[in-house]
Amino acid sequence: MDLRAAALARPAVFREPGALLYAGNCKDLLDASLAGKVTLSAWTRRGYPGRPLGEALPQVCSVGGWDATAPQDWGLKVHCNEGVKIAYLARGSLTLTLDGRKHDIQEGQMFVVRPWQLHAFGDPNVVASQIVWVLFDMGTRRPHDPWLWPDWLAWPERDQKRLTEFLSKNEQPFYQASREVARDFERIADIVATNDIEGEEIRLRLAISTMLMHFMQQIEAQVPVLDQALAHSKRTVQIFLERLRHALVGDWTLENMAAECNLSRTQFTQHCLGLTNITPVRYLQMIRLDAARKLLVEQPGLAVTAVAYDCGFSSSQYFATCFKKRFGISPVDARRQMMVAAE
């Protein structure tokens, strides 16, 4: 299996609910389109809503957009994508929450979302807006993974490398679209609206390639400052550790934590020590115990055994031993003391 095939076949560990980088399938958008609240026009694969692409446009997960002519009663909740999304807001406005920070996207602007970036649309609901996007699977799942652009772009390797640098080492969330980029996205939307995948695939390939060329020229003209740390394996580990708090019940070992980050055990451990000054196993136990201590107070009716399991401990006895070693008191006594202190 060659490099490209291996990268594209790499398991998308964020596909299942509860995983650290769970990729939503835009169910709220699909439901709204079926109810006639919004017009959805997209060609897709891998469960994204729209007309199935089949064998057309390899490495494109979704291309198309929505047209909401009135304020909506839905929004897209926090999720990750299975690729790099490059999108353009043709009309209206849109609130994009990216890694916890809100950005108000205005008509004529475009934005980029990478696979590891948690994001949501709406505040909390989507307002009147028309958005067009292309979602590429580059084979990258983490900040330090290589980017593999589709072969059908027929770009020189130097241009692919340059655009990769702009998008991986510079995470400016949005840009003002040039006239050329705006026209390219309008052309993409018009082609998708034909619903003729077989007949229009070549024209759509050209439209996407042209859009990316104009987009790269636009970014390059701004002379962006590139940050090498954004594409380093240490950042991958940092993101993993931050989100580990939301996946405490996982059967985590040093081996599968390293695998989650696509790193060797040695690399993963070194980065974890550099970021936390403790080993990965100790860090995991620390955040599990912190979560348990909080849960003991917030849910006084929850049995101590249930607290232990909910925070990832395999037995209540082991949990009690670790808890007392860390805090100098049993879970039961800690709950009692904290409840009295809160009165």
Side-chain angles (χ1 to χ4, degrees):
M1 184 179 292
D2 62 21
L3 177 63
R4 181 179 300 275
L8 297 177
R10 187 181 303 143
V13 294
F14 42 76
R15 278 195 139 194
E16 297 300 326
L20 293 180
L21 297 178
Y22 170 51
N25 61 3
C26 305
K27 183 178 183 299
D28 291 318
L29 171 58
L30 176 60
D31 291 343
S33 68
L34 294 175
K37 299 174 184 177
V38 61
T39 300
L40 172 65
S41 179
W43 299 351
T44 67
R45 54 171 49 93
R46 297 188 188 173
Y48 287 95
R51 183 178 294 270
L53 273 166
E55 298 300 318
L57 294 173
Q59 292 186 237
V60 170
C61 296
S62 178
V63 55
W66 80 55
D67 191 356
T69 58
Q72 302 292 297
D73 60 358
W74 59 273
L76 291 183
K77 302 176 181 65
V78 175
H79 65 288
C80 282
N81 289 327
E82 294 183 54
V84 178
K85 173 178 275 188
I86 301 176
Y88 169 67
L89 187 64
R91 287 196 298 271
S93 61
L94 184 69
T95 298
L96 166 66
T97 302
L98 193 62
D99 287 332
R101 296 185 60 183
K102 288 185 178 181
H103 304 278
D104 293 321
I105 311 299
Q106 302 300 319
E107 182 175 315
Q109 293 181 328
M110 58 187 301
F111 57 91
V112 181
V113 182
R114 292 113 186 125
W116 50 87
Q117 292 184 301
L118 289 168
H119 62 285
F121 294 119
D123 190 23
N125 297 328
V126 169
V127 299
S129 56
Q130 181 185 17
I131 181 176
V132 186
W133 63 75
V134 185
L135 177 60
F136 298 94
D137 182 356
M138 307 294 194
T140 180
R141 304 289 185 257
R142 303 293 181 266
H144 72 286
D145 287 340
W147 290 37
L148 301 171
W149 293 90
D151 288 335
W152 50 262
L153 287 178
W155 276 30
E157 185 177 346
R158 65 177 183 277
D159 289 338
Q160 293 185 21
K161 183 178 180 181
R162 190 67 173 147
L163 183 54
T164 297
E165 286 189 334
F166 289 151
L167 297 182
S168 64
K169 299 174 183 177
N170 165 38
E171 291 192 353
Q172 180 177 331
F174 60 90
Y175 305 84
Q176 188 65 38
S178 64
R179 292 179 182 177
E180 291 81 6
V181 172
R183 282 197 295 265
D184 294 334
F185 271 107
E186 290 168 4
R187 189 174 299 112
I188 290 170
D190 289 342
I191 294 172
V192 173
T194 67
N195 287 325
D196 183 7
I197 297 176
E198 183 177 350
E200 296 289 346
E201 180 185 2
I202 293 178
R203 203 155 68 95
L204 187 53
R205 287 187 179 194
L206 291 172
I208 293 173
S209 298
T210 304
M211 178 274 291
L212 289 173
M213 178 186 70
H214 287 145
F215 180 39
M216 184 174 69
Q217 291 172 346
Q218 183 180 2
I219 299 178
E220 193 164 26
Q222 299 177 21
V223 192
V225 177
L226 303 182
D227 184 353
Q228 301 295 326
L230 292 177
H232 195 275
S233 55
K234 186 174 183 178
R235 183 161 183 265
T236 295
V237 176
Q238 182 179 21
I239 293 172
F240 172 83
L241 295 177
E242 289 172 352
R243 296 179 185 171
L244 188 56
R245 298 176 183 276
H246 305 289
L248 296 177
V249 295
D251 184 20
W252 294 113
T253 63
L254 176 58
E255 287 75 14
N256 59 30
M257 284 191 285
E260 176 83 15
C261 296
N262 196 27
L263 294 170
S264 70
R265 292 185 303 172
T266 300
Q267 288 175 307
F268 176 74
T269 299
Q270 288 175 342
H271 286 319
C272 185
L273 286 168
L275 291 164
T276 68
N277 200 34
I278 55 177
T279 65
V281 174
R282 285 188 60 195
Y283 178 82
L284 174 62
Q285 185 180 95
M286 181 188 73
I287 61 174
R288 279 175 167 168
L289 289 170
D290 288 341
R293 191 183 190 190
K294 183 178 180 182
L295 198 58
L296 286 169
V297 177
E298 292 182 346
Q299 297 191 31
L302 192 64
V304 171
T305 298
V307 170
Y309 291 148
D310 286 350
C311 294
F313 289 91
S314 57
S315 73
S316 58
Q317 182 177 0
Y318 178 63
F319 165 62
T321 300
C322 294
F323 191 95
K324 187 168 185 178
K325 184 177 180 180
R326 168 84 185 278
F327 300 113
I329 192 173
S330 72
V332 173
D333 290 338
R335 169 178 272 172
R336 185 180 301 113
Q337 285 187 5
M338 289 185 286
M339 292 297 292
V340 170
E343 292 178 354

